[in-house]
Amino acid sequence: MTTVSSTLTFGSRTNTSELSDAAFALFDEQGVTVAWTQAAERLVGYSASEVVGRSAALVLPPFAEARAMSAFVAQCRARNGWSGVTAVRHRNGHMVDVSMRLSMLRGQDGAARWLASVSDMGAPPGGAVNGSVRGALLTSAPVGISVRDPQLRSVAVNDALETHDGIHHDARLGRRISDVRPGAEAEAVEAVMRQVLQSGTAKVHEYRMRLAAGLLPEQTFEVSFHCLQGADGQPLGTCMISVNVADRQQERERLSLLGQAGTRLGRTLDVMQTGQELADLAVPLFADFAAVDLEQSVLFGEGSPIHGDEAGRRLPVVRRAGLASIRHGAESPWGRGEPVPRPVDGPTAEVMRTGKSRLEPALDTDATWLDTNPALARSLRMHGVHSLIVVPILARRVLELGRRVPLGVVVFTRGENPVPFQEADLLLAEELVARAALSLENARKFAREQTTALALQRSLLPRRLRGGAAVETASRYLPADIDNGVGGDWFDVIPLSGARVALVVGDVVGHGINAAATMGRLRTAVHTLADMELPPDELLTRLDDTVQRLAEADAGDTDPSPVGATCVYAVYDPVTRLCTMASAGHPPPAIVDPRGRVTFPDLPTGAPLGIGLGVPFEAVELDLPEGSLLALYTDGMVETRGHDIEEGMHRLGTTLAEPGRTLEDLCTRAMEPFQGQAACDDVTLLLVRTRALDPARVASWSLPGDRTAVRRARELAADRLTAWGLEHLEDTTKLIVSELVTNAFRHGSGPIRLRLVQHATLTCEVSDADSCVPHPRTAHTTDESGRGLFLVSQLSRRWGSRLVPDGKVVWAEQELT
């Protein structure tokens, strides 16, 4: 017999709750309870007198039937025990979820004994850890068990105890500790056991035992003692539980790693970032190297197309989303974002096909599947990779032929760490990946919505801005980052009659698809109202009513569209160089004159659209010199984290105060602060530089208020067209002018004026003092009138009317060619 010296330290309390809170029960081979503890009574409510001598089926469902009990005992004997999550029956009838370890002990008579160690799963330490995983982790380390009678003689031990001190069970059974390894330390241990027997409680005494150098390396153990009670409730003996501190610390670190996963994974809705978070979490605490490879469509929130390989097996194309290594990624020939080729017979391809994890404790770096990937083979051999785990990333909602389809795989390897991966490591890896899969699935769903919303928004925004003769234009749009989602910003330049243009920038409340869809509805509404030639303040009033009606229509929906928006609407006339604008809760535009002086007009802010305050919108009129720069923007342009809106407006104005630069250059410079940064809101910028129409291209006359007005208007128009070299438009223009002047003479009032404007088109305008807007009607065959506006619509590109302060203007446009 080998004598092993030890050093005992009493009173140490390094996190012994798992041992002290555990309930213990001892059963014979037939499943009859032979000993009980007070902790077991606290857990299930039965006292020792109620269970000792009775079948374990009273509290343990696996022993419910004799046939089931025999099968269960046979299974436990074959495996030398059992561990996992199960349920025990409480005295009041309800079931208690527990983590249980059933250990087989050898007795003096050769008969087997079974010790059940049970911990309540109601409040697992270290965060919410999956019960089965936590049970497996806590029971994976070898635990030494020794049951002793009241005379402190060993009556039953398990095989794992020999691995702790090197003493065979035959040399231990029937003997006291002082008989096996005499000395002061043994006497101190026996004194502790006597205290436990005398107190009859489940109090745990803990000490550390350091084995001297010899046959076994120096190790540290935690040992707890539990009083076993018989049917009469009196001490029947003690149960000594010995746990290697290093093993226990490793299991605690694993549980801590799972606890960290709850806080470190899923902090963002970015798929790539989530993949990197998983890799960073695993290295170096769990693996020397970790790589997260995702099916490439997952990165964009799309479906999961599967591509066939030469062997006819379906393999998706994956890209590397996460990479972490103790060697800064030296083991991997592929970086983040790059496609990762995989041998069709390799472990990662197999995992993608089957959806089942693969553990290779001893990796064969000369395997044939590496022949097709020499770069990977060289890297594995160079860095001494000897152990491998590959786990599929399974999403709950991605199904194919009734099974969950992997979104990708996670690869863990060890090279510098000499300890190979074991089954417990596989359980931990699967739990880590399962948690990451939830975050990746949420990120994938959000990415799909983000992509859809962005595509919807881009399809609704103007692809080409037409400023005509009125303005030169440039624009920029930067969507919010993926965590905040695409917003509802929009901008537009809308051609109006008489060479004028409408300028609009708006921002819908909220983010996502609903915000983008609402933006599209409002943009369409603005176009419709702009075609009605409404002044800015009246247009915003009508638009406000539209937003309120949309909100009322969506009031009963479970997922209603965003309510509310801000908007600024301006109309610029290149003939008069006047700009009229109104705002609905939107920041004022920046105006830079030709000399580079920046101002923000004192524009009445107005209430946001859809609020329903009933406060009328106010318009202001500004005289803009030719070459003035207008910057219309959304609040994301001037309001960022850490900077208030005034500071942002000053920064924007400073950037734009360089009149010599092109609009495109100014747009680029204005967007530079947002490049490479996560924007919490959409950033939209619309720049326009005003033009003034040459007075020689505008002709205006006052007409007499009698029947000669028509003839006079035709003559004036013909002469002007000749001067402009547009004789080919003379006939149609004379007909249009005739009809418009006739209507003004017959149905209008006050003075009549005729104006011709040559810009991108030829516009004929006839104004009078009457505010009644003309409407075309269908004339019958017997009617002698009523066909004038119909004839105008046939001869012109488009026609319409608008109200002005002193009446109305009816206009018609013709193409110059």
Side-chain angles (χ1 to χ4, degrees):
M1 176 169 38
T2 303
T3 302
V4 182
S5 63
S6 61
T7 301
L8 303 176
T9 305
F10 293 93
S12 177
R13 289 286 181 184
T14 56
N15 195 9
T16 61
S17 61
E18 292 169 5
L19 293 175
S20 60
D21 293 341
F24 292 90
L26 189 65
F27 309 102
D28 64 17
E29 196 161 7
Q30 286 70 42
V32 176
T33 308
V34 297
W36 199 245
T37 62
Q38 289 187 359
E41 180 178 352
R42 289 194 298 269
L43 179 64
V44 296
Y46 288 102
S47 65
S49 62
E50 294 174 302
V51 295
V52 174
R54 301 181 63 179
S55 171
L58 181 65
V59 291
L60 295 178
F63 294 92
E65 300 179 5
R67 184 177 304 172
M69 179 187 71
S70 300
F72 182 69
V73 170
Q75 178 187 13
C76 292
R77 181 181 287 277
R79 298 183 179 180
N80 200 30
W82 178 89
S83 64
V85 174
T86 184
V88 297
R89 186 178 294 107
H90 195 274
R91 191 172 187 275
N92 62 17
H94 76 273
M95 304 303 290
V96 180
D97 293 328
V98 297
S99 172
M100 185 174 74
R101 181 173 194 157
L102 198 61
S103 303
M104 188 176 74
L105 310 180
R106 299 177 183 271
Q108 284 181 290
D109 54 2
R113 297 289 187 271
W114 299 96
L115 183 74
S117 172
V118 182
S119 300
D120 188 359
M121 296 296 296
V129 178
N130 177 278
S132 61
V133 175
R134 178 177 178 265
L137 292 179
L138 289 178
T139 58
S140 60
V143 176
I145 302 173
S146 175
V147 176
R148 298 182 176 275
D149 63 15
Q151 287 73 42
L152 308 184
R153 294 172 300 195
S154 177
V155 296
V157 297
N158 71 337
D159 293 338
L161 190 58
E162 183 178 352
T163 65
H164 288 189
D165 56 15
I167 301 175
H168 192 267
H169 63 270
D170 290 337
R172 198 188 308 270
L173 290 172
R175 294 180 174 86
R176 296 168 48 175
I177 296 179
S178 57
D179 296 333
V180 177
R181 53 171 193 241
E185 296 87 355
E187 294 176 0
V189 172
E190 291 179 349
V192 175
M193 287 191 284
R194 291 191 187 96
Q195 293 176 11
V196 173
L197 287 171
Q198 291 173 1
S199 64
T201 65
K203 182 179 180 181
V204 178
H205 293 261
E206 181 183 326
Y207 67 88
R208 294 177 181 270
M209 180 172 59
R210 298 185 180 276
L211 300 178
L215 295 178
L216 297 175
E218 182 174 288
Q219 301 178 72
T220 304
F221 296 89
E222 291 178 348
V223 183
S224 62
F225 303 93
H226 303 263
C227 181
L228 298 176
Q229 298 175 332
D232 56 0
Q234 296 301 311
L236 189 65
T238 60
C239 176
M240 187 176 97
I241 309 295
S242 176
V243 181
N244 189 301
V245 169
D247 292 338
R248 175 65 67 179
Q249 182 62 28
Q250 184 181 39
E251 306 313 318
R252 288 172 180 156
E253 290 175 354
R254 288 171 172 171
L255 288 175
S256 175
L257 185 61
L258 289 180
Q260 293 181 47
T263 57
R264 292 177 59 179
L265 293 178
R267 293 178 296 181
T268 176
L269 289 173
D270 187 300
V271 175
M272 291 287 288
Q273 183 61 30
T274 302
Q276 186 60 42
E277 288 174 351
L278 174 57
D280 291 338
L281 180 64
V283 177
L285 296 178
F286 176 70
D288 294 343
F289 170 85
V292 181
D293 298 336
L294 296 177
E295 202 281 326
Q296 63 178 357
S297 65
V298 175
L299 302 176
F300 307 102
E302 302 171 356
S304 298
I306 307 295
H307 303 281
D309 60 8
E310 295 179 356
R313 288 169 294 193
R314 299 188 304 168
L315 291 175
V317 176
V318 298
R319 290 181 179 272
R320 183 137 294 172
L323 178 65
S325 168
I326 60 175
R327 301 181 182 89
H328 307 289
E331 302 97 317
S332 175
W334 307 282
R336 293 186 68 205
E338 296 181 355
V340 181
R342 288 158 302 134
V344 295
D345 295 326
T348 56
E350 176 189 339
V351 170
M352 285 294 288
R353 285 194 298 266
T354 64
K356 297 180 180 179
S357 302
R358 180 164 171 176
L359 166 65
E360 292 197 14
L363 178 64
D364 181 9
T365 55
D366 294 321
T368 56
W369 62 270
L370 285 170
D371 294 342
T372 59
N373 199 326
L376 178 60
R378 285 194 302 270
S379 178
L380 294 177
R381 295 169 189 141
M382 179 186 304
H383 297 97
V385 176
H386 60 80
S387 195
L388 171 77
I389 289 179
V390 183
V391 181
I393 303 172
L394 299 175
R396 293 172 298 175
R397 301 184 183 90
V398 182
L399 301 176
E400 182 181 270
L401 299 178
R403 73 179 183 91
R404 295 162 69 186
V405 177
L407 299 179
V409 294
V410 184
V411 180
F412 305 97
T413 68
R414 283 180 180 172
E416 185 172 309
N417 185 345
V419 180
F421 287 121
Q422 303 296 332
E423 290 291 339
D425 297 308
L426 178 60
L427 288 172
L428 176 60
E430 289 179 333
E431 177 68 8
L432 284 175
V433 175
R435 291 182 175 225
L438 293 176
S439 301
L440 285 169
E441 189 174 2
N442 291 333
R444 174 178 174 272
K445 179 182 177 182
F446 187 84
R448 181 170 62 248
E449 179 178 324
Q450 177 87 347
T451 301
T452 303
L454 186 58
L456 175 62
Q457 187 177 52
R458 290 192 185 281
S459 67
L460 294 173
L461 291 174
R463 299 183 181 181
R464 182 170 60 90
L465 299 176
R466 297 180 298 164
V471 293
E472 176 191 359
T473 65
S475 63
R476 290 291 188 277
Y477 167 69
L478 179 66
D481 66 84
I482 195 167
D483 287 336
N484 293 280
V486 175
D489 287 13
W490 89 93
F491 59 93
D492 229 327
V493 177
I494 306 172
L496 301 177
S497 63
R500 300 171 306 134
V501 291
L503 311 172
V504 57
V505 166
D507 185 2
V508 175
V509 172
H511 297 86
I513 293 178
N514 286 341
T518 300
M519 176 273 288
R521 298 160 85 178
L522 294 186
R523 180 170 180 253
T524 301
V526 170
H527 267 268
T528 302
L529 296 173
D531 287 343
M532 296 172 62
E533 302 277 357
L534 297 175
D537 51 346
E538 185 176 345
L539 182 141
L540 291 181
T541 300
R542 300 280 190 93
L543 190 61
D544 184 37
D545 293 338
T546 300
V547 175
Q548 294 186 52
R549 286 197 301 271
L550 291 176
E552 294 170 358
D554 295 342
D557 293 351
T558 57
D559 189 17
S561 298
V563 178
T566 65
C567 179
V568 61
Y569 183 84
V571 175
Y572 174 70
D573 188 345
V575 176
T576 62
R577 294 182 291 101
L578 294 178
C579 183
T580 307
M581 62 182 66
S583 172
H586 204 83
I591 300 178
V592 184
D593 67 17
R595 297 183 178 179
R597 291 176 297 185
V598 182
T599 59
F600 290 89
D602 187 13
L603 183 64
T605 304
L609 303 171
I611 302 300
L613 298 180
V615 179
F617 298 99
E618 299 180 47
V620 298
E621 191 174 76
L622 304 173
D623 187 354
L624 300 180
E626 182 178 6
S628 297
L629 176 66
L630 273 74
L632 289 79
Y633 51 89
T634 55
D635 55 1
M637 185 77 203
V638 295
E639 192 172 18
T640 58
R641 292 190 182 101
H643 300 85
D644 57 25
I645 191 170
E646 287 80 9
E647 185 177 349
M649 292 169 65
H650 175 74
R651 183 188 66 245
L652 175 62
T654 303
T655 303
L656 300 178
E658 298 186 40
R661 294 185 178 272
T662 65
L663 294 186
E664 290 293 335
D665 189 17
L666 290 175
C667 276
T668 300
R669 290 171 58 84
M671 300 297 286
E672 284 178 354
F674 306 97
Q675 301 302 323
Q677 297 185 8
C680 58
D681 198 2
D682 288 9
V683 180
T684 302
L685 176 64
L686 172 63
L687 295 184
V688 297
R689 181 166 283 140
T690 63
R691 296 168 176 160
L693 198 62
D694 187 351
R697 299 169 67 183
V698 181
S700 179
W701 305 275
S702 295
L703 300 177
D706 54 29
R707 296 182 181 275
T708 62
V710 175
R711 179 172 54 82
R712 179 59 177 163
R714 290 163 59 92
E715 292 173 351
L716 293 172
D719 292 342
R720 179 57 60 174
L721 292 179
T722 300
W724 285 345
L726 300 176
E727 295 88 342
H728 59 284
L729 297 179
E730 180 177 335
D731 292 340
T732 55
T733 303
K734 289 167 66 175
L735 288 173
I736 291 172
V737 167
S738 297
E739 296 300 333
L740 295 182
V741 173
T742 298
N743 282 342
F745 175 73
R746 290 182 178 179
H747 308 292
S749 62
I752 301 173
R753 291 189 61 83
L754 170 65
R755 189 173 77 158
L756 298 181
V757 181
Q758 179 195 2
H759 51 106
T761 61
L762 175 65
T763 303
C764 303
E765 298 180 346
V766 174
S767 61
D768 61 65
D770 188 80
S771 59
C772 182
V773 177
H775 296 283
R777 65 184 181 87
T778 302
H780 298 288
T781 56
T782 58
D783 292 343
E784 296 183 358
S785 61
R787 299 179 178 83
L789 292 179
F790 174 78
L791 180 61
V792 170
S793 67
Q794 296 299 308
L795 296 174
S796 61
R797 173 176 173 268
R798 62 174 187 154
W799 76 277
S801 63
R802 65 178 183 270
L803 296 177
V804 292
D806 55 354
K808 68 173 181 296
V809 175
V810 183
W811 54 268
E813 290 181 354
Q814 299 177 77
E815 297 287 357
L816 295 180
T817 57

